[in-house]
Amino acid sequence: MNETLSPGFADPVGAAQATFRAVLTALSEPGKLLELELAPDLGFRPPAPLGLAAAAIALSLLDGDTPLWCDPASRPATPSLRFHTGAPLVETPESARFALIADPALLPSLAAFDAGSDEYPDRSATLIIEVAAFGPRATGGTALVLRGPGIPERRSLAVRGLPAGFLAEWRANHARFPRGVDVILTAGAQLAGLPRSTLIEEL
Amino acid sequence: MNFTVPDSQSPAALPAQPPDARRRWMAALARADRASLEAAWRDLPERPGYRHLRQPEIGLAMVRGRMGGTGQRFNLGEMTVARATVRIDQGPEGAGAVGFGYVAGRDLRHAELAALFDALLQDDAHRPMLMAALIVPLERAAAEARTARERAIQASKVEFFTMVRSRE
């Protein structure tokens, strides 16, 4: 039981602020590939199986008021996340404010998550999805072309490990704007944001 | 920051010892003064290495009461609490006991020491020695301080006599 608790940020304020800044950039400039640098924070160890970015985002954004849903692959990390954040775990995706997905192949339909309401579109779920790799490392992956707010003309992003059918799901998610879910893709220490306002096409 | 007391469903909160024993030493450690814990830590034959699972931090905890112990719950007020969580290194894999320290006030080192001793006390090899050398003396000192204070207060006690209340 004790092995399941992993150390949190050694510098909680600084590390959470750096992570928050990265998430803000990722969601305001969709598809921009960011690398989270917590180098001075030597004590921090992401709880298995989460990558550094996914764990840092979870530690920065979760608290006692954000119900969390974890896919079966990320369940081993839940004791640590509960310990550090106090976030309540929920059994069903639709009641979660945040969702952690360590195995994108088994990603539930995006429509299964809370898309908010027309009055309060901000009360929707944010999905943190750990993919295999980004950018030049994503050989054999999908080349995405992104358009929308925060992107001058278009931006390309190569991702390996997106589930089949994600683009069709995303089109449906985009179509119900202002409702919809936002996605943060992570791979190790890297992250890229996909807010609901972004249009995604395959190259 | 507001602290929520670890709830009983979190695996981290599951006591490794019978809860009464652990509650007893955690209470003694929390009420001890920092100097005696510091001295006990310094005098340990071998001090284990440790790492922070949660950095020592200061926050607020809501103190709740019940009127007469049985009435409706009410919020008495918030108090300052320092807390820390450590894991003792053990062996090359380094997965020893996890200790929690929650201490009234703002003394981070006190919370850290309380967490360290809580972790050590969960270890069967250390517990008998630490109970005898640390916890029992701390409890005795606390009891003596309490008695001394009660005696000092008793000396200045004023008895009030009230007339029968008018509405009854």
Side-chain angles (χ1 to χ4, degrees):
Chain A
M1 143 203 145
N2 288 340
E3 302 85 82
T4 58
L5 287 186
S6 69
F9 294 135
D11 169 19
V13 175
Q17 284 179 345
T19 309
F20 185 80
R21 177 67 245 188
V23 172
L24 200 59
T25 310
L27 289 176
S28 54
E29 298 182 59
K32 184 176 182 174
L33 197 52
L34 299 163
E35 180 117 18
L36 200 59
E37 291 186 18
L38 299 175
D41 207 333
L42 296 172
F44 179 55
R45 297 278 179 284
L50 301 183
L52 181 90
I57 294 168
L59 257 56
S60 304
L61 299 186
L62 298 179
D63 69 10
D65 295 327
T66 55
L68 171 70
W69 181 81
C70 289
D71 74 336
S74 58
R75 294 273 153 84
T78 53
S80 278
L81 296 177
R82 298 236 325 116
F83 167 68
H84 286 295
T85 67
L89 286 178
V90 292
E91 293 296 320
T92 48
E94 64 264 25
S95 39
R97 190 98 317 170
F98 282 94
L100 264 175
I101 291 101
D103 182 5
L106 298 176
L107 178 70
S109 161
L110 292 182
F113 294 94
D114 187 357
S117 59
D118 285 327
E119 291 81 14
Y120 298 101
D122 52 314
R123 295 186 189 165
S124 61
T126 301
L127 279 60
I128 302 164
I129 304 178
E130 181 89 10
V131 295
F134 282 127
R137 281 177 238 166
T139 47
T142 323
L144 306 177
V145 178
L146 280 54
R147 285 186 293 132
I151 305 172
E153 311 259 328
R154 43 197 78 223
R155 181 175 282 143
S156 55
L157 176 69
V159 184
R160 183 154 54 87
L162 272 184
F166 180 79
L167 290 186
E169 294 258 349
W170 186 262
R171 267 191 293 279
N173 183 53
H174 177 77
R176 53 185 175 166
F177 191 87
R179 300 165 73 233
V181 299
D182 304 307
V183 168
I184 302 170
L185 299 177
T186 62
Q190 292 182 307
L191 67 147
L194 298 177
R196 66 193 82 169
S197 59
T198 302
L199 261 170
I200 310 181
E201 286 158 342
E202 198 169 350
L203 191 67
Chain B
M1 176 186 310
N2 281 294
F3 290 166
T4 42
V5 176
D7 71 55
S8 51
Q9 286 164 15
S10 130
L14 286 179
Q17 300 302 319
D20 286 344
R22 192 168 183 198
R23 193 174 297 147
R24 177 183 159 194
W25 74 59
M26 285 180 97
L29 291 167
R31 294 200 181 104
D33 65 313
R34 194 236 294 222
S36 47
L37 291 186
E38 198 81 73
W41 176 249
R42 207 170 41 238
D43 295 343
L44 280 183
E46 45 177 332
R47 282 187 293 278
Y50 64 92
R51 76 184 318 165
H52 292 125
L53 287 184
R54 177 152 52 203
Q55 295 292 318
E57 59 188 3
I58 298 168
L60 292 172
M62 179 60 75
V63 179
R64 285 191 158 162
R66 283 179 192 276
M67 203 63 81
T70 54
Q72 281 291 319
R73 226 182 246 208
F74 67 95
N75 291 343
L76 184 65
E78 285 182 318
M79 73 180 289
T80 319
V81 172
R83 69 171 176 186
T85 307
V86 299
R87 179 163 60 205
I88 298 280
D89 299 343
Q90 223 170 43
E93 299 86 33
V98 175
F100 293 81
Y102 279 74
V103 168
R106 314 176 61 85
D107 192 338
L108 296 175
R109 175 67 178 158
H110 185 176
E112 187 183 24
L113 286 166
L116 282 169
F117 281 113
D118 176 45
L120 287 178
L121 277 156
Q122 293 172 58
D123 184 348
D124 292 332
H126 291 104
R127 195 177 325 113
M129 188 276 283
L130 279 174
M131 285 305 276
L134 180 65
I135 300 300
V136 171
L138 284 179
E139 285 173 339
R140 195 180 306 128
E144 277 165 14
R146 191 185 166 87
T147 324
R149 184 168 159 75
E150 273 172 5
R151 206 171 290 133
I153 292 169
Q154 199 69 31
S156 65
K157 187 178 177 187
V158 181
E159 298 280 359
F160 286 94
F161 296 96
T162 43
M163 310 305 286
V164 175
R165 271 181 265 167
S166 58
R167 298 236 186 99
E168 284 176 341

